[in-house]
PDB file of all heavy atoms in Angstrom:
ATOM      1  N   ASN A 381      -6.878 -10.637 -17.643  1.00 97.00           N
ATOM      2  CA  ASN A 381      -5.942 -10.009 -16.710  1.00 97.00           C
ATOM      3  C   ASN A 381      -5.739 -10.886 -15.475  1.00 97.00           C
ATOM      4  O   ASN A 381      -4.781 -10.693 -14.729  1.00 97.00           O
ATOM      5  CB  ASN A 381      -6.428  -8.613 -16.286  1.00 97.00           C
ATOM      6  CG  ASN A 381      -6.215  -7.589 -17.388  1.00 97.00           C
ATOM      7  OD1 ASN A 381      -5.880  -7.954 -18.519  1.00 97.00           O
ATOM      8  ND2 ASN A 381      -6.412  -6.316 -17.087  1.00 97.00           N
ATOM      9  N   ALA A 382      -6.649 -11.846 -15.265  1.00 96.00           N
ATOM     10  CA  ALA A 382      -6.471 -12.796 -14.164  1.00 96.00           C
ATOM     11  C   ALA A 382      -5.445 -13.846 -14.575  1.00 96.00           C
ATOM     12  O   ALA A 382      -4.485 -14.121 -13.850  1.00 96.00           O
ATOM     13  CB  ALA A 382      -7.797 -13.458 -13.819  1.00 96.00           C
ATOM     14  N   SER A 441       9.676 -17.481  -9.755  1.00 98.00           N
ATOM     15  CA  SER A 441       8.513 -18.378  -9.796  1.00 98.00           C
ATOM     16  C   SER A 441       7.224 -17.657 -10.163  1.00 98.00           C
ATOM     17  O   SER A 441       6.212 -18.313 -10.422  1.00 98.00           O
ATOM     18  CB  SER A 441       8.331 -19.054  -8.443  1.00 98.00           C
ATOM     19  OG  SER A 441       7.950 -18.093  -7.481  1.00 98.00           O
ATOM     20  N   CYS A 442       7.209 -16.327 -10.122  1.00 98.00           N
ATOM     21  CA  CYS A 442       5.971 -15.592 -10.430  1.00 98.00           C
ATOM     22  C   CYS A 442       6.224 -14.087 -10.336  1.00 98.00           C
ATOM     23  O   CYS A 442       7.303 -13.655  -9.886  1.00 98.00           O
ATOM     24  CB  CYS A 442       4.850 -15.971  -9.463  1.00 98.00           C
ATOM     25  SG  CYS A 442       5.219 -15.664  -7.726  1.00 98.00           S
ATOM     26  N   GLY A 443       5.211 -13.313 -10.711  1.00 98.00           N
ATOM     27  CA  GLY A 443       5.328 -11.860 -10.604  1.00 98.00           C
ATOM     28  C   GLY A 443       5.515 -11.433  -9.155  1.00 98.00           C
ATOM     29  O   GLY A 443       6.314 -10.537  -8.850  1.00 98.00           O
ATOM     30  N   THR A 444       4.795 -12.078  -8.259  1.00 98.00           N
ATOM     31  CA  THR A 444       4.872 -11.710  -6.836  1.00 98.00           C
ATOM     32  C   THR A 444       6.306 -11.888  -6.322  1.00 98.00           C
ATOM     33  O   THR A 444       6.840 -11.012  -5.632  1.00 98.00           O
ATOM     34  CB  THR A 444       3.883 -12.576  -6.010  1.00 98.00           C
ATOM     35  OG1 THR A 444       2.577 -12.380  -6.552  1.00 98.00           O
ATOM     36  CG2 THR A 444       3.898 -12.196  -4.550  1.00 98.00           C
ATOM     37  N   GLU A 445       6.930 -13.019  -6.668  1.00 98.00           N
ATOM     38  CA  GLU A 445       8.311 -13.219  -6.209  1.00 98.00           C
ATOM     39  C   GLU A 445       9.239 -12.150  -6.792  1.00 98.00           C
ATOM     40  O   GLU A 445      10.131 -11.642  -6.105  1.00 98.00           O
ATOM     41  CB  GLU A 445       8.825 -14.618  -6.607  1.00 98.00           C
ATOM     42  CG  GLU A 445      10.213 -14.878  -6.007  1.00 98.00           C
ATOM     43  CD  GLU A 445      10.935 -16.066  -6.612  1.00 98.00           C
ATOM     44  OE1 GLU A 445      10.302 -17.108  -6.870  1.00 98.00           O
ATOM     45  OE2 GLU A 445      12.167 -15.938  -6.829  1.00 98.00           O
ATOM     46  N   ILE A 447       8.530  -9.079  -7.606  1.00 98.00           N
ATOM     47  CA  ILE A 447       8.290  -7.816  -6.889  1.00 98.00           C
ATOM     48  C   ILE A 447       8.963  -7.861  -5.513  1.00 98.00           C
ATOM     49  O   ILE A 447       9.670  -6.929  -5.109  1.00 98.00           O
ATOM     50  CB  ILE A 447       6.764  -7.559  -6.774  1.00 98.00           C
ATOM     51  CG1 ILE A 447       6.188  -7.274  -8.162  1.00 98.00           C
ATOM     52  CG2 ILE A 447       6.466  -6.411  -5.812  1.00 98.00           C
ATOM     53  CD1 ILE A 447       4.657  -7.323  -8.252  1.00 98.00           C
ATOM     54  N   HIS A 471      -0.912  -3.309  -7.355  1.00 97.00           N
ATOM     55  CA  HIS A 471      -1.426  -4.666  -7.161  1.00 97.00           C
ATOM     56  C   HIS A 471      -1.104  -5.090  -5.724  1.00 97.00           C
ATOM     57  O   HIS A 471      -0.133  -4.611  -5.128  1.00 97.00           O
ATOM     58  CB  HIS A 471      -0.721  -5.602  -8.151  1.00 97.00           C
ATOM     59  CG  HIS A 471      -1.211  -7.012  -8.081  1.00 97.00           C
ATOM     60  ND1 HIS A 471      -0.648  -7.949  -7.236  1.00 97.00           N
ATOM     61  CD2 HIS A 471      -2.215  -7.646  -8.733  1.00 97.00           C
ATOM     62  CE1 HIS A 471      -1.285  -9.096  -7.396  1.00 97.00           C
ATOM     63  NE2 HIS A 471      -2.242  -8.940  -8.292  1.00 97.00           N
ATOM     64  N   ALA A 473       0.378  -7.562  -4.593  1.00 97.00           N
ATOM     65  CA  ALA A 473       1.727  -8.119  -4.398  1.00 97.00           C
ATOM     66  C   ALA A 473       2.686  -7.040  -3.887  1.00 97.00           C
ATOM     67  O   ALA A 473       3.576  -7.315  -3.084  1.00 97.00           O
ATOM     68  CB  ALA A 473       2.244  -8.708  -5.712  1.00 97.00           C
ATOM     69  N   ILE A 520       3.256   0.729 -10.507  1.00 98.00           N
ATOM     70  CA  ILE A 520       2.698  -0.265 -11.434  1.00 98.00           C
ATOM     71  C   ILE A 520       2.617   0.378 -12.825  1.00 98.00           C
ATOM     72  O   ILE A 520       2.207   1.525 -12.966  1.00 98.00           O
ATOM     73  CB  ILE A 520       1.322  -0.749 -10.926  1.00 98.00           C
ATOM     74  CG1 ILE A 520       0.791  -1.917 -11.740  1.00 98.00           C
ATOM     75  CG2 ILE A 520       0.295   0.370 -10.852  1.00 98.00           C
ATOM     76  CD1 ILE A 520      -0.406  -2.631 -11.071  1.00 98.00           C
ATOM     77  N   ALA A 522       0.927  -0.786 -15.738  1.00 98.00           N
ATOM     78  CA  ALA A 522      -0.462  -0.772 -16.230  1.00 98.00           C
ATOM     79  C   ALA A 522      -1.311  -1.443 -15.164  1.00 98.00           C
ATOM     80  O   ALA A 522      -0.998  -2.555 -14.731  1.00 98.00           O
ATOM     81  CB  ALA A 522      -0.579  -1.514 -17.550  1.00 98.00           C
ATOM     82  N   ASN A 523      -2.353  -0.746 -14.740  1.00 97.00           N
ATOM     83  CA  ASN A 523      -3.142  -1.253 -13.623  1.00 97.00           C
ATOM     84  C   ASN A 523      -3.944  -2.496 -14.009  1.00 97.00           C
ATOM     85  O   ASN A 523      -4.611  -2.509 -15.050  1.00 97.00           O
ATOM     86  CB  ASN A 523      -4.070  -0.152 -13.098  1.00 97.00           C
ATOM     87  CG  ASN A 523      -4.729  -0.572 -11.816  1.00 97.00           C
ATOM     88  OD1 ASN A 523      -5.763  -1.211 -11.829  1.00 97.00           O
ATOM     89  ND2 ASN A 523      -4.091  -0.256 -10.710  1.00 97.00           N
ATOM     90  N   ASN A 524      -3.901  -3.499 -13.145  1.00 97.00           N
ATOM     91  CA  ASN A 524      -4.577  -4.760 -13.452  1.00 97.00           C
ATOM     92  C   ASN A 524      -6.096  -4.638 -13.430  1.00 97.00           C
ATOM     93  O   ASN A 524      -6.794  -5.391 -14.094  1.00 97.00           O
ATOM     94  CB  ASN A 524      -4.139  -5.864 -12.476  1.00 97.00           C
ATOM     95  CG  ASN A 524      -4.202  -5.425 -11.032  1.00 97.00           C
ATOM     96  OD1 ASN A 524      -3.536  -4.466 -10.644  1.00 97.00           O
ATOM     97  ND2 ASN A 524      -5.003  -6.096 -10.234  1.00 97.00           N
ATOM     98  N   ASP A 549       6.164  -2.696 -11.566  1.00 98.00           N
ATOM     99  CA  ASP A 549       5.402  -3.934 -11.758  1.00 98.00           C
ATOM    100  C   ASP A 549       4.815  -3.846 -13.162  1.00 98.00           C
ATOM    101  O   ASP A 549       3.842  -3.136 -13.403  1.00 98.00           O
ATOM    102  CB  ASP A 549       4.314  -3.994 -10.679  1.00 98.00           C
ATOM    103  CG  ASP A 549       3.284  -5.097 -10.936  1.00 98.00           C
ATOM    104  OD1 ASP A 549       3.360  -5.774 -11.969  1.00 98.00           O
ATOM    105  OD2 ASP A 549       2.383  -5.243 -10.088  1.00 98.00           O
ATOM    106  N   VAL A 551       3.737  -6.493 -14.842  1.00 98.00           N
ATOM    107  CA  VAL A 551       3.098  -7.797 -15.069  1.00 98.00           C
ATOM    108  C   VAL A 551       1.952  -7.685 -16.082  1.00 98.00           C
ATOM    109  O   VAL A 551       1.795  -8.551 -16.946  1.00 98.00           O
ATOM    110  CB  VAL A 551       2.614  -8.385 -13.717  1.00 98.00           C
ATOM    111  CG1 VAL A 551       1.632  -9.525 -13.914  1.00 98.00           C
ATOM    112  CG2 VAL A 551       3.809  -8.854 -12.883  1.00 98.00           C
ATOM    113  N   GLN A 552       1.163  -6.628 -15.997  1.00 98.00           N
ATOM    114  CA  GLN A 552       0.069  -6.482 -16.963  1.00 98.00           C
ATOM    115  C   GLN A 552       0.516  -5.751 -18.233  1.00 98.00           C
ATOM    116  O   GLN A 552      -0.129  -5.869 -19.269  1.00 98.00           O
ATOM    117  CB  GLN A 552      -1.108  -5.716 -16.335  1.00 98.00           C
ATOM    118  CG  GLN A 552      -1.804  -6.460 -15.217  1.00 98.00           C
ATOM    119  CD  GLN A 552      -2.592  -7.685 -15.691  1.00 98.00           C
ATOM    120  OE1 GLN A 552      -2.838  -7.881 -16.875  1.00 98.00           O
ATOM    121  NE2 GLN A 552      -2.976  -8.526 -14.740  1.00 98.00           N
ATOM    122  N   LEU A 572       7.935  -9.209 -14.191  1.00 98.00           N
ATOM    123  CA  LEU A 572       7.110  -9.816 -15.247  1.00 98.00           C
ATOM    124  C   LEU A 572       6.539 -11.143 -14.746  1.00 98.00           C
ATOM    125  O   LEU A 572       7.109 -11.753 -13.832  1.00 98.00           O
ATOM    126  CB  LEU A 572       7.983 -10.127 -16.477  1.00 98.00           C
ATOM    127  CG  LEU A 572       8.785  -8.983 -17.095  1.00 98.00           C
ATOM    128  CD1 LEU A 572       9.747  -9.550 -18.141  1.00 98.00           C
ATOM    129  CD2 LEU A 572       7.857  -7.970 -17.734  1.00 98.00           C
ATOM    130  N   SER A 573       5.458 -11.578 -15.386  1.00 98.00           N
ATOM    131  CA  SER A 573       4.879 -12.881 -15.039  1.00 98.00           C
ATOM    132  C   SER A 573       4.410 -13.569 -16.308  1.00 98.00           C
ATOM    133  O   SER A 573       3.739 -12.957 -17.140  1.00 98.00           O
ATOM    134  CB  SER A 573       3.706 -12.663 -14.090  1.00 98.00           C
ATOM    135  OG  SER A 573       3.100 -13.904 -13.803  1.00 98.00           O
ATOM    136  N   GLY A 574       4.764 -14.859 -16.431  1.00 98.00           N
ATOM    137  CA  GLY A 574       4.454 -15.583 -17.665  1.00 98.00           C
ATOM    138  C   GLY A 574       2.974 -15.766 -17.942  1.00 98.00           C
ATOM    139  O   GLY A 574       2.524 -15.640 -19.075  1.00 98.00           O
ATOM    140  N   HIS A 575       2.190 -16.046 -16.883  1.00 98.00           N
ATOM    141  CA  HIS A 575       0.803 -16.476 -17.149  1.00 98.00           C
ATOM    142  C   HIS A 575      -0.112 -15.360 -17.615  1.00 98.00           C
ATOM    143  O   HIS A 575      -1.262 -15.619 -17.973  1.00 98.00           O
ATOM    144  CB  HIS A 575       0.226 -17.220 -15.940  1.00 98.00           C
ATOM    145  CG  HIS A 575      -0.148 -16.390 -14.754  1.00 98.00           C
ATOM    146  ND1 HIS A 575      -1.443 -16.124 -14.424  1.00 98.00           N
ATOM    147  CD2 HIS A 575       0.600 -15.793 -13.802  1.00 98.00           C
ATOM    148  CE1 HIS A 575      -1.493 -15.409 -13.314  1.00 98.00           C
ATOM    149  NE2 HIS A 575      -0.256 -15.188 -12.907  1.00 98.00           N
ATOM    150  N   LYS A 576       0.396 -14.121 -17.631  1.00 98.00           N
ATOM    151  CA  LYS A 576      -0.431 -13.032 -18.155  1.00 98.00           C
ATOM    152  C   LYS A 576      -0.235 -12.871 -19.659  1.00 98.00           C
ATOM    153  O   LYS A 576      -0.894 -12.065 -20.288  1.00 98.00           O
ATOM    154  CB  LYS A 576      -0.088 -11.708 -17.461  1.00 98.00           C
ATOM    155  CG  LYS A 576      -0.108 -11.768 -15.949  1.00 98.00           C
ATOM    156  CD  LYS A 576      -1.491 -11.955 -15.373  1.00 98.00           C
ATOM    157  CE  LYS A 576      -1.416 -11.907 -13.849  1.00 98.00           C
ATOM    158  NZ  LYS A 576      -2.707 -12.035 -13.206  1.00 98.00           N
ATOM    159  N   VAL A 583       5.812 -19.088 -13.372  1.00 98.00           N
ATOM    160  CA  VAL A 583       7.107 -18.620 -13.879  1.00 98.00           C
ATOM    161  C   VAL A 583       7.014 -17.102 -14.064  1.00 98.00           C
ATOM    162  O   VAL A 583       6.020 -16.563 -14.536  1.00 98.00           O
ATOM    163  CB  VAL A 583       7.531 -19.344 -15.187  1.00 98.00           C
ATOM    164  CG1 VAL A 583       6.558 -19.114 -16.327  1.00 98.00           C
ATOM    165  CG2 VAL A 583       8.949 -18.932 -15.604  1.00 98.00           C
ATOM    166  N   ASN A 769      -7.767 -10.190  -6.939  1.00 55.00           N
ATOM    167  CA  ASN A 769      -6.410  -9.759  -6.601  1.00 55.00           C
ATOM    168  C   ASN A 769      -5.453 -10.038  -7.735  1.00 55.00           C
ATOM    169  O   ASN A 769      -4.270 -10.171  -7.539  1.00 55.00           O
ATOM    170  CB  ASN A 769      -5.951 -10.449  -5.312  1.00 55.00           C
ATOM    171  CG  ASN A 769      -5.935 -11.943  -5.455  1.00 55.00           C
ATOM    172  OD1 ASN A 769      -6.247 -12.456  -6.524  1.00 55.00           O
ATOM    173  ND2 ASN A 769      -5.588 -12.642  -4.409  1.00 55.00           N
ATOM    174  N   SER A 770      -5.971 -10.180  -8.954  1.00 65.00           N
ATOM    175  CA  SER A 770      -5.060 -10.531 -10.038  1.00 65.00           C
ATOM    176  C   SER A 770      -4.974  -9.431 -11.059  1.00 65.00           C
ATOM    177  O   SER A 770      -5.718  -8.489 -11.018  1.00 65.00           O
ATOM    178  CB  SER A 770      -5.520 -11.806 -10.701  1.00 65.00           C
ATOM    179  OG  SER A 770      -6.866 -11.723 -11.028  1.00 65.00           O
TER     180      SER A 770
HETATM  181  N1  LIG B1281       1.132  -7.538 -10.528  1.00 68.48           N
HETATM  182  C1  LIG B1281       0.039  -7.431 -11.285  1.00 68.48           C
HETATM  183  C2  LIG B1281      -0.284  -6.112 -11.903  1.00 68.48           C
HETATM  184  C3  LIG B1281      -0.784  -8.534 -11.509  1.00 68.48           C
HETATM  185  O1  LIG B1281      -1.889  -8.409 -12.243  1.00 68.48           O
HETATM  186  C4  LIG B1281      -0.412  -9.770 -10.926  1.00 68.48           C
HETATM  187  C5  LIG B1281      -1.255 -10.961 -11.132  1.00 68.48           C
HETATM  188  O2  LIG B1281      -2.295 -11.120 -10.617  1.00 68.48           O
HETATM  189  C6  LIG B1281       0.747  -9.837 -10.140  1.00 68.48           C
HETATM  190  C7  LIG B1281       1.495  -8.710  -9.968  1.00 68.48           C
HETATM  191  C8  LIG B1281       1.185 -11.107  -9.503  1.00 68.48           C
HETATM  192  O3  LIG B1281       1.667 -11.998 -10.480  1.00 68.48           O
HETATM  193  P1  LIG B1281       1.754 -13.564 -10.159  1.00 68.48           P
HETATM  194  O4  LIG B1281       0.364 -14.087 -10.192  1.00 68.48           O
HETATM  195  O5  LIG B1281       2.601 -14.134 -11.241  1.00 68.48           O
HETATM  196  O6  LIG B1281       2.390 -13.682  -8.818  1.00 68.48           O
END
Side-chain angles (χ1 to χ4, degrees):
N381 285 10
S441 68
C442 59
T444 303
E445 186 194 319
I447 292 166
H471 182 270
I520 188 167
N523 189 273
N524 49 300
D549 169 357
V551 165
Q552 293 291 347
L572 305 171
S573 177
H575 74 106
K576 308 291 184 178
V583 61
N769 60 1
S770 50

